[in-house]
Amino acid sequence: MGANSSSICELPENEYLKRLSGAEAISENDPFWNQLLSFSFTAPTSSAELKLLEEATISVCKSLVENNPRTGNLGALVKVFLSRTKELKISAECQNHLFIWQAHNALFIICYLLKVFICRMSEEELQLHFTYEERMPGSCGVECEDLIEELLCCLIQLIVEIPLLDITYSISLEAVTTLVVFLSCQLFHKEILRESIIHKYLMRGRCLPYTSRLVKTLLYNFIRQERSPPPGSHVFQQQTDGGGLLYGIASGVATGLWTVFTLGGVGSKPTPQQEQSSPLANQSLLLLLVLANLTDVPDAPNPYRQAIMSFKNTQDSTAFPSPSPHAFQINFNSLYTALCEQQKSDQATLLLYILLHQNSNVRTYMLARTDMENLVLPILEILYHVEERNSHHVYMALIILLILTEDDGFNRSIHEVILKNITWYSERVLTEISLGSLLILVVIRTIQYNMTRTRDKYLHTNCLAALANMSAQFRSLHQYAAQRIISLFSLLSKKHNKVLEQATQTLRGSLSSNDSPLPDYAQDLNVIEEVIRMMLEIINSCLTNSLHHNPNLVYALLYKRDLFEQFRTHPSFQDVMQNIDLVISFFSSRLEQAGAQLSVERVLEIIKQGAVALPKDRLRKFPELKFKYVEEEQPEEFFIPYVWSLVYNSAVALYWNPQDIQLFTMDSG
């Protein structure tokens, strides 16, 4: 590096890097810094090239770690950067490319060195490296023990105060990336960090007043999805005489290293379009998720989570409830549009979950929208392609549906939205179907997939809870949706019979051989019977509350009436079978009276007439089915590893050696 274009292979012998990492202390005012920061080289475009960058600079980094306690050159570099950021806002307004270029290069080096240091040492050791400086008589400046806080505060100010222009895009992205790197200590701990030096700086002291502005800026970065500027629009062209400091900036360094990795585990594999879309939006969202999931400390709840929980719509003129120390306002329409458009990524789905679950203002706004299909369809598509998604992404999508179905207005309105030609649904051509019926189809498909593949009770429970919440509001169910409800019950019935037969055979075998029966079958039987009862309750709820609205469900019920025979006298199902048995008997009788060889249309006509004639008081009333999503007691044990696995797999400009990661395993995410 320095005032010449550089390539990765040249870095180990680069004279400027050797001097930075060497045994000689370099003053903040030394012209060396101008030379060091006037560099460019072609950016790595793959994880393999990023590994090459790391391998090429191993000797330099080792040397700096060894010599920095005596030279304080890391601290000097940070102070050079801090001094240059004071004029960044004016530089942006005046289009001062040179100043911004060198400030960016300084931050690029700091970010890279910081990542290397964090991989190799504890936070306490890292803090010490920021305190080392060459002791000179009469020297003054930033208190050494506050240099980390000074840098963190400066990065936040840069993000929230510097206008986002073509010439500032690179340094804004690098500032966000550096904050992610500062927080990446968590990756190298198996346990959740609850006592962190970096967390303390960010949640208290000088950084605290910027909380709401930082959260708001990161959200707006996500909303705007600003693409990286085209090459040449924000860089210098190399001078023809080759002199001076105005050397051409290779697009890689000037705009950050924008390669996205998918090394296994959690995280969505980016498409080429996603890779080139908005690095700043992607990185800002990841940083926001990391900040939102910092652990509380006894005397200081997470201020970033408080900000996310309390912000309001710009059109909301009501006063904030007191106290709301980190409240702010943002355009909900723009936020809603961005969330609808970005649901293919894990991180956008996780943000949607957090907002729906924790911010009542956002939840109320979204449930009042008249175009909910724009949000629900991408969520359904995630569940539909369950084979291609990681389990965490599927869970988040499912919990979002569960939260939405807690609202009766949502459950009514989804049956009024008619969709045409759902191209991604391949089992059957759906030329016209309600959003509600499509939701039922996708959730049932998810249950069936889970039964045959993952066998996850948690997923079963949440799928059934969402169906149960909707069941009283089922309206005009599509014939295919009605068939799939009964088909799922048929599948459960067969599974029940199979497990019951296996349990009986095992019991007979164990009695004849004087061995105790295996308990596994009893447990399996209990789980299946719980699911069967839930399905019966869902069918019963629909028949009790909206029989006359659902002739297709009655038709499917009558067509498969034999399925329910074995459960009429079963002690676990007798009560809930009463209404179902009554409906089957009532409509079967009317069909027998109508004669044989009836067409489908005639059967449906008889069902519609019978639904009006059936006295409502003959159906036994049951308590309304309502399930509410409740977060686990220690959600951080799930969310913090999940968020960091997203950072690991999806972060722009970052690469960590998988062998160094402690927080999660690479094969499971």
Side-chain angles (χ1 to χ4, degrees), residues 270-331:
T271 64
Q273 290 76 18
Q274 286 175 312
E275 286 185 1
Q276 297 167 12
S277 57
S278 178
L280 181 61
N282 179 73
Q283 208 84 325
S284 294
L285 177 53
L286 291 171
L287 175 57
L288 182 63
L289 294 174
V290 171
L291 292 171
N293 285 281
L294 297 180
T295 54
D296 295 330
V297 292
D299 59 336
N302 182 342
Y304 302 97
R305 189 181 301 123
Q306 288 182 317
I308 288 171
M309 291 172 64
S310 60
F311 71 82
K312 299 196 308 183
N313 194 354
T314 48
Q315 297 180 346
D316 187 346
S317 58
T318 59
F320 281 102
S322 182
S324 299
H326 307 296
F328 62 91
Q329 291 180 288
I330 202 167
N331 187 309

Side-chain angles (χ1 to χ4, degrees), residues 551-552 555 599-609:
N552 283 327
Y555 184 100
S599 66
V600 173
E601 291 77 13
R602 178 59 183 148
V603 171
L604 285 171
E605 184 182 340
I606 293 169
I607 289 171
K608 290 174 184 177
Q609 293 169 352

Side-chain angles (χ1 to χ4, degrees), residues 81 134 172 179 217 230 287 294 301 338 406 454 496 552 606 618:
F81 170 72
E134 185 192 20
S172 297
L179 282 179
T217 302
L287 175 57
L294 297 180
E406 291 171 12
T454 55
H496 177 268
N552 283 327
I606 293 169
R618 290 185 62 185

Side-chain angles (χ1 to χ4, degrees), residues 5-20:
S5 293
S6 307
S7 64
I8 289 177
C9 62
E10 297 170 351
L11 292 179
E13 301 303 319
N14 185 282
E15 60 178 296
Y16 298 100
L17 291 181
K18 279 187 169 183
R19 187 176 170 195
L20 174 67

Side-chain angles (χ1 to χ4, degrees), residues 45 47 257-262 268 270 274-275 282 649-653:
T45 56
S47 58
L257 305 178
W258 292 338
T259 305
V260 179
F261 308 100
T262 303
S268 304
Q274 286 175 312
E275 286 185 1
N282 179 73
N649 286 288
S650 308
V652 179

Side-chain angles (χ1 to χ4, degrees), residues 130-163:
F130 275 81
T131 66
Y132 299 134
E133 61 179 8
E134 185 192 20
R135 297 294 178 184
M136 299 181 67
S139 63
C140 60
V142 179
E143 288 295 323
C144 56
E145 64 270 16
D146 293 330
L147 193 56
I148 289 183
E149 183 176 28
E150 182 80 9
L151 178 56
L152 287 168
C153 199
C154 174
L155 292 172
I156 293 173
Q157 289 173 335
L158 195 159
I159 293 168
V160 303
E161 293 179 353
I162 303 301

Side-chain angles (χ1 to χ4, degrees), residues 9 58 76-77 117 129 174 208-209 232 260 280 286 324 338 353 356 431 528 567 613 618:
C9 62
I58 283 176
L77 172 61
F117 274 55
H129 273 277
E174 207 65 54
L208 187 61
V260 179
L280 181 61
L286 291 171
S324 299
Y353 158 77
L356 278 174
T431 54
I528 293 170
F567 299 106
R618 290 185 62 185

Side-chain angles (χ1 to χ4, degrees), residues 491-527:
L491 184 64
L492 291 167
S493 176
K494 290 175 184 175
K495 195 169 183 64
H496 177 268
N497 293 340
K498 182 179 179 181
V499 174
L500 188 61
E501 184 181 345
Q502 289 173 332
T504 303
Q505 291 175 354
T506 302
L507 179 61
R508 287 173 182 164
S510 64
L511 290 176
S512 62
S513 62
N514 295 322
D515 291 331
S516 58
L518 295 172
D520 293 346
Y521 290 125
Q523 186 177 351
D524 287 350
L525 197 62
N526 183 51
V527 170

